[in-house]
Amino acid sequence: MLAIKNIECVRGERRLFSDLSFEAASHTLLEVRGPNGSGKTSLLRNLCGLLPPAAGIIEWRGNNIHMFADEYRSELAFLGHLSGVKDELTASENLRMSSVAAGLGASPDQIHAALVHFGLRDFRDSLCKALSQGQRRRVALARLCLSAARSLWILDEPFTALDAAALVVIKDLLESHLETGGTVVLTTHQEVAIAARVTRRVDLGQ
Amino acid sequence: MTINWFRYSSPASFYPIAGALIPWFFSGAALLTIAGLYISFFIAPTDAQQGEAYRIIFIHVPAAWMSMFIYVVMAAWAGIGLAFNTRLSSMAASALAPTGAMMTFIALWTGSLWGKPMWGTWWVWDARLTSELILLFLYFGFMSLQAAIDDPRRADKAGAVIALVGVINVPIIYFSVKWWNTLHQGASVSLTRSPTMANTMLIGMLVMALAFWMYSIAVMLMRLRSIILERERNSDWVKTLKKQPS
Amino acid sequence: MNSPRLMDALWTVGTRDLLAALRHRADLLTTLVFFAIVASLFPLGVGSDTALLRLMGPGVVWVAALLASMLALTRLFASDYGDGTLEQLALSPHPLTLLVLAKTGAHWLASGLPLVIIAPLLGLQFDLNADAQLVLLASLLLGTPTLSLIGAVGAALTLGVRGGGALLSLLVLPLYVPVLIFGAGAVEASAAGLDAGAHLSLLGALLLVALVFAPWATAVSVRIAVE
């Protein structure tokens, strides 16, 4: 369970939010909402441990995520604004290398299946600089197929630049992860209905 | 007995303390400078080999000492700020850097002034002067890095890393420059290893070093107060401070 | 995290960078040409007196190698920072210190090692004798990894910072002084018919110190950069 206790976030001179507390257990979808500049991305970076909050603590399974950083990271899958897809590598190289670097097992079969799942069968050996924005996003999202064992998924705007077909794929992926006991935290500007046992919303910028 | 050190480590409570301390350090610096200059100009004997020109060591040597000492203290404060996330110590490191750079510059300038009558050239690639020059570059690196980063927290942390890397390197640089110097048989401008070094000379240098020390603390506290005000300008206590007539 | 997975991850991070460098061969060439141009400028500046050039050769080749390796540093993290790979690395359960060490190693293979290999050609321009050439190779082989390790700290600190390139040189060049002194000193000693062993041992010692401290400082700097 992810527990956020009275955290505060300051970027530069601006206090984005303060005294923010919430929890997300397994089977929970947590949607972070708010206008541009309200601190959604900063909150997500707080949650995944990239950005230490100015005050307050974040706990995962009762442990402070900064004290037990390695354990936390081995249960976490994060997808940020930036896809982490390298132009010079092919789609399958990208997926394999980013998964192995993230400590995920990635057999050739799994890589192939994940790319096929996201409709990239014909592009798996194309250099990513030749791919469209949406296709690169799919390469990045395909890593989630290999991250089923990671309980906590934190996704910053996962639906941007995706077409209807890819939206269905990612929606199914998120729903099955939630159904098998995972936790998903995401921000989005699109209304995508995702079925979950528990859906919570955090509104920033009020 | 437990003392709550953290009470004084918050910028808001340190600000008035620093204000109260500054006059004391400034008066200490002034008194010690007068005493030190009196010793160096009227009591210390004329050097048999170097004549009156040697008297610049009363500025040069304390400045060189302070330049190195301040770098180590700055790195220590920055390191504490990085490790324990204490904002005040990071601010203290930033407040020390310009003073350290100034001391380094004074040491270089007086060294060069001294070199002209002694060696007939403004600059010799002597081990000490060269190390001081590199130290000046290290100070510039620290200050430029902090100046280039907008977010103060990130600037503090990045500055701390470069200061710590620098402090590990300073002895290595000094040693390597010395080695290089002996190999190339460069001019050795040893200001302190004069055989006729009298006790009064040493006392003069020590008094001047203390004066520089007091001055550095006073200036550091003044700069620290400005940094605190700048960073905390949106906080409540600074706003109430503004309303009070000082 | 078990160690085969860690080794696998380090190997993958290293090969990913090498592969990317290989597909960007133009960058590598730029570094090498820069190295050659800088070294060739000195005779044009000071005249073609062979005795003088022989005296200056070791220092010139070393300074040129140092500048070229610094020029290549900006590529170490910049693209990873820009496309989000770096924050993914920072979130890997594997120790970031080792991951950045793997990246630095790959960077040295792609930009430092080629410098070492073409350095004897530049040594010929300065009429270095065979022994001095060998020592030049050995000193660069020991010294350029240290340059990459120290430089990695500066490269990580200046990520996304205004005036990154110029600032990087200001941060890193003063720290390069000991490597330059011992590296060029080794070649000079050998050219003068002396034993260069002490210089080379000191270069090796610097490399060990850099191996211990630099990856740690780089990892801290990367975490600061991806905040």
Side-chain angles (χ1 to χ4, degrees):
Chain A
M1 181 167 82
L2 185 69
I4 281 76
K5 296 178 179 169
N6 310 98
I7 64 165
E8 176 182 82
C9 181
V10 182
R11 285 305 251 177
E13 306 254 310
R14 243 157 53 83
R15 175 168 291 129
L16 292 173
F17 50 81
S18 60
D19 216 10
L20 184 69
S21 302
F22 56 85
E23 288 180 349
S26 50
H27 301 291
T28 302
L29 169 71
L30 187 87
E31 286 185 17
V32 180
R33 294 290 174 111
N36 291 332
S38 58
K40 297 189 294 294
T41 293
S42 294
L43 175 61
L44 258 53
R45 296 178 86 78
N46 284 149
L47 293 186
C48 64
L50 284 174
L51 175 66
I57 46 174
I58 302 167
E59 287 177 348
W60 172 250
R61 301 194 198 282
N63 294 323
N64 186 326
I65 61 164
H66 291 284
M67 309 268 191
F68 295 84
D70 290 351
E71 289 87 339
Y72 181 57
R73 287 183 200 127
S74 61
E75 292 198 71
L76 170 72
F78 171 71
L79 183 73
H81 268 300
L82 302 166
S83 302
V85 171
K86 299 208 78 67
D87 281 350
E88 303 87 357
L89 304 182
T90 66
S92 62
E93 282 167 347
N94 255 311
L95 183 54
R96 186 176 66 79
M97 292 181 163
S98 64
S99 304
V100 174
L104 299 165
S107 68
D109 290 346
Q110 285 173 306
I111 299 289
H112 183 77
L115 289 174
V116 170
H117 197 60
F118 272 90
L120 292 165
R121 179 197 293 274
D122 300 333
F123 299 97
R124 59 180 192 268
D125 292 323
S126 320
L127 289 184
C128 282
K129 64 180 153 203
L131 298 185
S132 74
Q133 197 62 31
Q135 285 170 322
R136 282 176 205 221
R137 197 68 183 160
R138 288 196 227 172
V139 175
L141 286 166
R143 192 155 38 84
L144 290 177
C145 292
L146 307 173
S147 307
R150 301 260 163 119
S151 318
L152 177 60
W153 289 5
I154 298 181
L155 314 171
D156 197 356
E157 300 283 351
F159 308 128
T160 24
L162 294 182
D163 58 17
L167 266 181
V168 172
V169 174
I170 179 72
K171 185 170 164 293
D172 287 348
L173 200 60
L174 292 180
E175 281 173 355
S176 80
H177 183 63
L178 286 164
E179 195 47 46
T180 51
T183 306
V184 175
V185 180
L186 59 81
T187 60
T188 177
H189 284 292
Q190 282 149 282
E191 289 298 335
V192 180
I194 297 164
R197 288 197 206 163
V198 188
T199 303
R200 304 186 131 203
R201 276 180 70 155
V202 172
D203 280 293
L204 296 174
Q206 256 83 58
Chain B
M1 190 179 80
T2 53
I3 305 171
N4 188 4
W5 293 104
F6 291 103
R7 224 183 94 205
Y8 301 106
S9 70
S10 101
S13 49
F14 188 76
Y15 182 81
I17 302 174
L21 288 175
I22 289 171
W24 292 99
F25 282 109
F26 263 130
S27 5
L31 289 175
L32 284 164
T33 308
I34 292 167
L37 287 180
Y38 182 76
I39 296 172
S40 26
F41 279 109
F42 299 108
I43 298 181
T46 305
D47 188 88
Q49 296 169 343
Q50 309 176 9
E52 301 294 346
Y54 90 93
R55 289 187 198 275
I56 197 132
I57 64 164
F58 292 110
I59 305 288
H60 173 81
V61 174
W65 283 345
M66 287 310 296
S67 66
M68 285 180 258
F69 180 64
I70 291 178
Y71 194 88
V72 174
V73 174
M74 181 185 90
W77 280 127
I80 291 171
L82 181 68
F84 303 108
N85 208 6
T86 44
R87 283 179 304 151
L88 189 63
S89 28
S90 303
M91 293 182 200
S94 313
L96 273 171
T99 309
M102 190 195 74
M103 290 292 173
T104 319
F105 184 73
I106 290 176
L108 282 172
W109 193 14
T110 51
S112 136
L113 279 181
W114 187 85
K116 186 62 181 169
M118 289 301 115
W119 303 98
T121 162
W122 291 113
W123 181 261
V124 280
W125 289 95
D126 150 79
R128 280 152 194 267
L129 282 183
T130 312
S131 306
E132 282 288 321
L133 183 65
I134 294 166
L135 186 63
L136 185 64
F137 293 149
L138 289 179
Y139 274 118
F140 282 156
F142 177 84
M143 291 192 287
S144 317
L145 180 64
Q146 290 212 319
I149 301 176
D150 292 323
D151 186 294
R153 275 159 54 97
R154 189 180 165 193
D156 283 344
K157 291 182 187 173
V161 173
I162 202 68
L164 289 174
V165 171
V167 91
I168 295 172
N169 260 275
V170 163
I172 301 178
I173 291 173
Y174 182 70
F175 167 72
S176 64
V177 169
K178 230 177 141 171
W179 163 292
W180 162 80
N181 193 242
T182 45
L183 280 186
H184 291 75
Q185 282 133 18
S188 167
V189 192
S190 176
L191 291 181
T192 47
R193 235 174 278 138
S194 162
T196 52
M197 177 89 125
N199 260 339
T200 41
M201 291 187 190
L202 194 64
I203 291 170
M205 284 198 292
L206 285 175
V207 173
M208 285 306 288
L210 270 177
F212 277 28
W213 204 22
M214 295 282 155
Y215 166 83
S216 303
I217 295 176
V219 173
M220 182 270 244
L221 289 176
M222 280 180 77
R223 207 173 282 122
L224 185 54
R225 269 164 65 95
S226 332
I227 294 175
I228 291 176
L229 282 190
E230 196 188 336
R231 295 222 191 149
E232 307 257 300
R233 63 172 175 273
N234 293 327
S235 70
D236 296 337
W237 71 271
V238 176
K239 281 179 187 150
T240 46
L241 201 73
K242 260 196 284 193
K243 283 179 201 134
Q244 293 166 354
S246 50
Chain C
M1 199 49 47
N2 49 8
S3 52
R5 277 227 173 147
L6 173 60
M7 291 316 291
D8 204 16
L10 298 180
W11 177 254
T12 305
V13 168
T15 45
R16 172 165 69 182
D17 282 18
L18 280 177
L19 200 59
L22 210 63
R23 289 180 186 163
H24 263 294
R25 276 182 294 267
D27 287 347
L28 166 67
L29 211 64
T30 316
T31 311
L32 288 180
V33 173
F34 177 83
F35 182 38
I37 288 181
V38 170
S40 312
L41 284 178
F42 279 85
L44 296 174
V46 301
S48 58
D49 176 21
T50 314
L52 179 66
L53 289 182
R54 204 179 290 142
L55 206 61
M56 289 177 46
V60 169
V61 175
W62 252 97
V63 169
L66 194 136
L67 292 176
S69 106
M70 196 198 67
L71 192 73
L73 274 181
T74 43
R75 289 199 302 274
L76 176 50
F77 293 119
S79 85
D80 281 9
Y81 179 70
D83 64 23
T85 315
L86 202 57
E87 63 187 32
Q88 290 296 340
L89 279 189
L91 288 175
S92 164
H94 299 303
L96 186 59
T97 312
L98 295 179
L99 294 174
V100 296
L101 184 62
K103 278 187 71 66
T104 314
H107 181 257
W108 178 77
L109 283 177
S111 67
L113 191 59
L115 292 180
V116 178
I117 292 168
I118 69 153
L121 275 180
L122 302 180
L124 281 180
Q125 292 187 319
F126 291 89
D127 195 30
L128 294 183
N129 62 34
D131 281 350
Q133 289 276 27
L134 270 180
V135 174
L136 176 66
L137 265 180
S139 68
L140 284 171
L141 215 49
L142 279 170
T144 47
T146 315
L147 299 183
S148 296
L149 285 164
I150 299 175
V153 183
L157 282 176
T158 49
L159 281 173
V161 169
R162 259 179 283 123
L167 187 58
L168 175 65
S169 53
L170 182 54
L171 293 180
V172 157
L173 286 180
L175 302 174
Y176 280 177
V177 166
V179 182
L180 171 66
I181 287 176
F182 296 129
V187 188
E188 272 167 31
S190 156
L194 302 171
D195 180 32
H199 287 92
L200 293 178
S201 314
L202 284 165
L203 274 181
L206 286 181
L207 177 56
L208 286 180
V209 173
L211 265 175
V212 173
F213 288 107
W216 171 81
T218 311
V220 173
S221 310
V222 166
R223 289 212 186 282
I224 295 170
V226 296
E227 261 184 14

